[in-house]
């Protein structure tokens, strides 16, 4: 559990504003399209007070049970040393399966598939949010409608082009803009609730129950539209490490939740008094003179919402790399102060291309609404299932039974939303599912390939301790300098060393075996990062451990080693790095199917070079090539 950040009210206030700007951007823009899609979707539903009140009751209890109870009250407690997100939750769950490989594999599948589906959400969120905001232009003038798609694409290109500069400066504007947005949401809602205050009675769950009994099938299908009010809910958990549990909770209960509810109730009151407003109930909340300023504010809010999921995609990719589910990629830090602000060019341009294709293919936010929801609800189910495992591992007795009972109730709600969204697969829900399956296949293929490769490399390995003794008893020709052999195994002889002795028949005066490994915690304290062992008179072993949210840095490790072992001084002109470079070839009896082997080989060839990823000076590296049969 993390330490609650309540010691400084000013700091908490700043974190709350930051959380409002980053965490709640996606869910905060859902009033733009949620209620409209409930009536304008593919289900025939009469626009009358009974149906409006029933849908409002579903939205209210969806926000209360899924967001307030499940995520804010329960899931936020499952932190991995202060960090959240489905990969952090997976790492926690895997601790319960240290001796059970089958269970560990199933838990990894849950976590990785949930993370893979996030890629679909990261593409749909910018498209549907910006399109829904810009569609308000048509209320200003119908002559502007042809410019909606070009404007949306232009905004997306500008947004993704800005990513390389980082969000440090722009981030300072996020909070105040989103605070203004939520205040406007609440104000517009109150203006219309006054005209039909009876909508407030929809907080009574009987309205939702009666609506279900009156329209059993229609109400079930409508859950696929109601779930749009929950989009972005995973950000509450994923961004816990940036803002802390208290700030996220305060922001939700003090401003975000009241503003959302007031706006939804305001839209409901508007539909009761002015049914023709169903064309765009959000924008019709405001008087006609305010439509253009509201379009501008909405567009700014949706850009912020898009920024949040784009940053989230970078963060999830980085975590997947460190956990061994993704090939090494070029990761750039965009802030000297904030560790979490990163930019991954490959992911960025892939997202931009996908968003543009999505906008051109679906063209309207209503069409995109059919594609939205599946990825969100599936990830919600994965999160709850992993929470079951975590609760079972960390709690015992009555507390465990209480948590499991609560999670079972929440799982039923998640499955209801998920089942309703399955019906939308043929209308566009296939798109995030297809993206998620592709990302899942890539990540699991990479993980499996690396495991098989490591297994092959271990065949015939020699124990490190005995080999060092033999080298010291009958040493080869020694040359001046210090050599560092990078190795994934800390107890066996590196293949690069064997190849060097076989071909060059020399060894440097000082030899260091360096192993970099990733732990199942987000950050490793600096004092616990490096362990140095002396294996002989001139041989040393260094094991450096990084968290799954950290970026490994060999120069940083060597600096710590010099402090712990003064006789080891890593002079740039006197230090050489030896690495193994494997080429995958087909074995006589392949251990992977042909397409997975080719896919793994392709990913290996296109992975960022070890020298770049670990920040090793490239002009001091010697690579020893070898072929490995898979």
């Amino acid at each position: 559990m993390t330490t609650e950040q309540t010691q400084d009210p000013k700091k908490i206030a700043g974190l709350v504003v930051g959380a409002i700007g980053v965490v709640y951007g996606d869910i905060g823009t859902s009033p733009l399209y949620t209620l409209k899609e409930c009536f304008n979707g593919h289900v025939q539903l009469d626009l009358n007070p009974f149906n409006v009140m029933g849908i409002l009751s579903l939205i209210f209890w969806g926000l209360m049970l899924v967001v307030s109870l499940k995520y804010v009250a329960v899931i936020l407690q499952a932190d991995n040393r202060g960090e959240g997100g489905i990969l952090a939750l997976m790492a926690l769950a895997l601790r319960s399966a240290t001796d059970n490989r089958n269970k560990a594999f199933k838990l990894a599948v849950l976590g990785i598939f949930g993370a893979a589906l996030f890629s679909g959400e990261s593409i749909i969120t910018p498209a549907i949010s910006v399109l829904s905001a810009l569609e308000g232009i048509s209320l200003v003038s119908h002559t502007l409608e042809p410019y909606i798609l070009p404007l949306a694409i232009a905004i997306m290109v500008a947004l993704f082009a800005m990513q390389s500069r980082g969000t440090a400066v722009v981030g300072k504007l996020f909070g105040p803009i989103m605070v203004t947005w939520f205040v406007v949401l609440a104000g517009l809602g109150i203006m219309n609730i006054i005209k039909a205050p009876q909508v407030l009675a929809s907080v009574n769950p009987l309205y939702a129950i009666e609506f279900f009994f009156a329209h059993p099938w229609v109400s079930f299908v409508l859950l696929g539209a109601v779930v749009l009010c929950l989009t972005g809910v995973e950000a509450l958990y994923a961004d816990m490490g940036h803002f802390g549990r208290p700030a996220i909770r305060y922001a939700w209960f003090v401003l975000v939740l009241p503003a959302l509810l007031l706006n939804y109730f305001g839209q409901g009151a508007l539909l009761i008094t002015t049914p023709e407003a169903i064309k765009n109930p959000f924008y019709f909340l405001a008087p006609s003179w305010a439509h253009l300023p509201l379009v501008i504010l909405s567009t700014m809010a949706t850009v912020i919402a898009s920024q949040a999921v784009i940053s989230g995609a970078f963060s999830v990719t980085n975590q997947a790399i460190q956990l061994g589910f993704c090939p090494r990629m070029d990761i750039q830090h965009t802030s000297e102060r904030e560790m979490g602000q990163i930019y991954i060019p490959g992911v960025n341009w892939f997202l931009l291309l996908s968003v543009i294709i999505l906008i051109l293919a679906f063209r309207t936010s209503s069409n995109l609404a059919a594609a939205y929801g599946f990825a969100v609800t599936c990830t919600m189910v994965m999160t709850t299932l992993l929470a079951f495992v975590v609760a079972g591992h960390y709690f015992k007795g009555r507390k465990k039974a209480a948590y499991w009972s609560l999670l079972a109730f929440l799982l039923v709600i998640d499955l209801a939303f998920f089942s309703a969204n399955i019906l939308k697969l043929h209308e566009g829900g296939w798109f995030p599912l297809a993206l998620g399956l592709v990302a899942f296949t890539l990540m699991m293929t990479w993980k499996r390939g690396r495991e098989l490769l490591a297994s092959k490399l271990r065949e015939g390995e020699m124990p490190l301790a005995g080999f060092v003794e033999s080298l010291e008893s009958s040493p080869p020709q020694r040359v001046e300098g210090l050599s560092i052999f990078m190795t994934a195994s800390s107890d066996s002889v590196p293949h690069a060393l064997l190849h060097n002795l076989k071909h060059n028949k020399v060894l440097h005066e000082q030899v260091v075996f360096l192993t970099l490994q990733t732990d199942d915690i987000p950050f490793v304290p600096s004092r616990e990062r490096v362990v140095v062992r002396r294996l002989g008179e001139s041989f040393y072993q260094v094991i450096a451990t990084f968290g799954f949210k950290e970026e490994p840095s060999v120069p940083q490790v060597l600096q710590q080693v010099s402090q712990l072992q003064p006789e080891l001084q890593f002079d740039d002109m006197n230090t050489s790095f030896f690495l193994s470079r494997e080429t995958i070839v087909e074995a006589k009896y392949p251990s992977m199917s042909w397409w997975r082997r080719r896919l793994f080989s392709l990913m290996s060839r296109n992975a960022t070079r070890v020298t770049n990823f670990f920040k090793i000076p490239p002009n001091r590296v010697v690579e020893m090539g070898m072929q490995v049969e898979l």
Side-chain angles (χ1 to χ4, degrees):
M1 292 296 180
T2 55
T3 303
E4 300 290 358
Q5 302 171 9
T6 57
Q7 66 278 7
D8 187 350
K10 290 184 178 180
K11 184 178 181 181
I12 280 290
L15 289 172
V16 168
V17 173
I20 291 170
V22 176
V23 177
Y24 294 107
D26 193 358
I27 198 170
T29 54
S30 57
L32 282 165
Y33 43 79
T34 300
L35 202 58
K36 180 179 71 171
E37 292 308 316
C38 289
F39 285 98
N40 286 341
H42 301 283
V43 177
Q44 294 296 324
L45 188 65
D46 294 333
L47 185 55
N48 56 51
F50 175 80
N51 290 337
V52 170
M53 298 281 282
I55 291 175
L56 284 178
S57 189
L58 287 174
I59 291 174
F60 174 81
W61 286 103
L63 289 171
M64 296 306 294
L65 293 176
V66 176
V67 186
S68 299
L69 178 59
K70 176 185 170 180
Y71 279 92
V72 178
V74 178
I75 298 297
L76 283 185
Q77 295 186 55
D79 66 300
N80 191 338
R81 295 203 181 183
E83 291 295 326
I86 193 165
L87 290 181
L89 188 64
M90 180 192 74
L92 281 176
L94 285 173
R95 295 178 187 176
S96 67
T98 52
D99 300 322
N100 189 333
R101 293 195 64 183
N102 186 43
K103 181 181 179 181
F105 174 75
K106 292 177 180 177
L107 293 175
V109 167
L110 284 177
I112 293 303
F113 190 58
L117 286 172
F118 185 79
S119 62
E121 186 178 348
S122 300
I123 293 169
I124 297 178
T125 293
I128 190 173
S129 298
V130 173
L131 274 177
S132 61
L134 291 175
E135 283 167 356
I137 292 177
S138 62
L139 302 181
V140 179
S141 174
H142 288 293
T143 59
L144 297 176
E145 283 188 19
Y147 299 99
I148 292 176
L149 287 183
L151 271 175
I153 293 173
I155 289 172
M156 289 296 100
V157 171
L159 175 63
F160 281 93
M162 286 171 52
Q163 297 303 312
S164 61
R165 300 182 182 181
T167 58
V169 177
V170 182
K172 294 178 181 178
L173 301 174
F174 283 8
I177 291 174
M178 290 307 295
V179 168
T180 304
W181 168 253
F182 285 115
V183 170
V184 170
L185 287 185
L188 292 174
I190 292 171
M191 285 169 52
N192 288 270
I193 290 172
I194 294 173
K195 302 173 185 177
Q198 65 267 31
V199 294
L200 295 176
S202 57
V203 299
N204 187 339
L206 288 177
Y207 282 93
I209 295 170
E210 290 175 358
F211 180 73
F212 255 94
F213 278 111
H215 313 286
W217 175 248
V218 169
S219 55
F220 172 71
V221 175
L222 273 176
L223 288 178
V226 171
V227 78
L228 294 174
C229 75
L230 307 175
T231 56
V233 69
E234 279 290 327
L236 301 178
Y237 185 37
D239 286 318
M240 179 166 57
H242 293 287
F243 303 100
R245 200 162 35 228
I248 291 176
R249 285 176 173 167
Y250 291 151
W252 174 251
F253 287 114
V254 172
L255 179 61
V256 179
L257 177 61
L260 289 175
L261 291 177
L262 287 171
N263 195 266
Y264 283 125
F265 288 145
Q267 290 187 44
L270 175 67
L271 294 179
I272 290 175
T273 58
T274 315
E276 57 270 20
I278 190 58
K279 181 183 177 183
N280 202 321
F282 174 79
Y283 280 108
F284 278 116
L285 286 174
S288 57
W289 60 264
H291 285 166
L292 183 58
L294 191 57
V295 168
I296 295 172
L297 179 61
S298 300
T299 304
M300 293 171 68
T302 54
V303 167
I304 292 171
S306 303
Q307 176 64 60
V309 294
I310 294 167
S311 300
F314 293 157
S315 179
V316 168
T317 303
N318 185 39
Q319 291 182 35
I321 291 171
Q322 304 305 341
L323 289 171
F325 288 95
C326 189
R328 297 180 302 272
M329 294 185 182
D330 179 23
I331 300 175
Q332 302 173 13
H333 283 267
T334 58
S335 173
E336 296 179 358
R337 298 181 180 179
E338 299 296 331
M339 183 184 302
Q341 291 189 12
I342 58 174
Y343 168 66
I344 306 179
V347 174
N348 185 68
W349 301 121
F350 169 76
L351 290 178
L352 173 59
L353 179 62
S354 302
V355 168
I356 292 176
I357 292 173
L358 202 63
I359 290 174
L360 293 175
F362 286 83
R363 305 188 72 82
T364 69
S365 62
S366 293
N367 293 336
L368 273 170
Y372 213 12
F374 182 87
V376 177
T377 53
C378 193
T379 305
M380 285 163 50
V381 171
M382 302 298 175
T383 299
T384 307
L385 291 175
L386 289 172
F388 265 103
V389 179
V390 173
H393 182 65
Y394 285 94
F395 299 121
K396 304 297 179 185
R398 292 182 178 178
K399 197 168 186 180
K400 174 180 174 180
Y403 266 97
W404 273 10
S405 299
L406 178 58
L407 288 171
F409 168 68
L410 295 171
L411 181 61
V412 170
I413 298 173
D414 291 343
L415 289 173
F417 280 119
F418 175 68
S419 302
N421 277 277
I422 289 178
L423 302 175
K424 294 161 52 176
L425 278 176
H426 68 287
E427 299 171 0
W430 58 268
F431 182 80
L433 176 61
L435 278 177
L437 287 174
V438 169
F440 175 76
T441 302
L442 291 173
M443 288 193 281
M444 295 306 291
T445 297
W446 180 256
K447 184 70 171 179
R448 179 60 177 159
R450 294 300 298 176
E451 289 175 349
L452 290 173
L453 181 61
S455 177
K456 287 287 184 181
L457 292 175
R458 281 195 297 268
E459 292 178 1
E461 281 187 341
M462 303 172 63
L464 185 60
F467 188 77
V468 169
E469 290 178 6
S470 67
L471 284 179
E472 291 198 321
S473 60
S474 55
Q477 178 69 37
R478 305 299 287 261
V479 295
E480 184 180 350
L482 187 152
S483 60
I484 299 175
F485 290 89
M486 302 282 291
T487 173
S489 176
S490 59
D491 56 2
S492 58
V493 182
H495 289 272
L497 174 58
L498 295 175
H499 282 279
N500 181 57
L501 289 174
K502 179 181 178 180
H503 296 288
N504 298 325
K505 298 179 176 57
V506 295
L507 202 61
H508 287 81
E509 289 177 332
Q510 291 179 307
V511 179
V512 174
F513 303 110
L514 176 59
T515 300
L516 303 181
Q517 57 189 24
T518 302
D519 207 346
D520 65 351
I521 58 177
F523 301 101
V524 174
S526 179
R527 63 181 181 278
E528 300 174 12
R529 184 178 312 285
V530 175
V531 176
V532 182
R533 299 190 184 101
R534 188 159 188 167
L535 303 179
E537 191 171 333
S538 59
F539 293 86
Y540 302 83
Q541 183 181 59
V542 176
I543 300 176
T545 306
F546 290 85
F548 62 77
K549 290 201 71 174
E550 295 180 287
E551 188 176 353
S553 170
V554 167
Q556 177 186 334
V557 170
L558 298 184
Q559 186 178 1
Q560 283 190 254
V561 171
S562 296
Q563 296 171 355
L564 296 172
Q565 209 79 27
E567 65 269 25
L568 288 176
Q569 296 300 319
F570 302 96
D571 179 15
D572 287 345
M573 300 306 296
N574 206 34
T575 302
S576 298
F577 293 85
F578 288 82
L579 312 176
S580 293
R581 186 173 182 86
E582 301 87 11
T583 301
I584 311 300
V585 297
E586 183 177 355
K588 185 177 181 180
Y589 301 101
S591 50
M592 296 180 78
S593 58
W594 66 270
W595 66 270
R596 292 192 77 186
R597 184 178 60 255
R598 291 184 180 180
L599 180 59
F600 176 68
S601 179
L602 178 66
M603 295 167 74
S604 298
R605 290 196 302 270
N606 288 278
T608 298
R609 295 178 64 84
V610 174
T611 51
N612 294 340
F613 188 75
F614 293 125
K615 300 179 176 58
I616 303 172
N619 59 341
R620 306 302 303 165
V621 173
V622 178
E623 288 191 337
M624 314 297 290
M626 59 183 297
Q627 289 188 341
V628 180
E629 295 182 347
L630 285 183

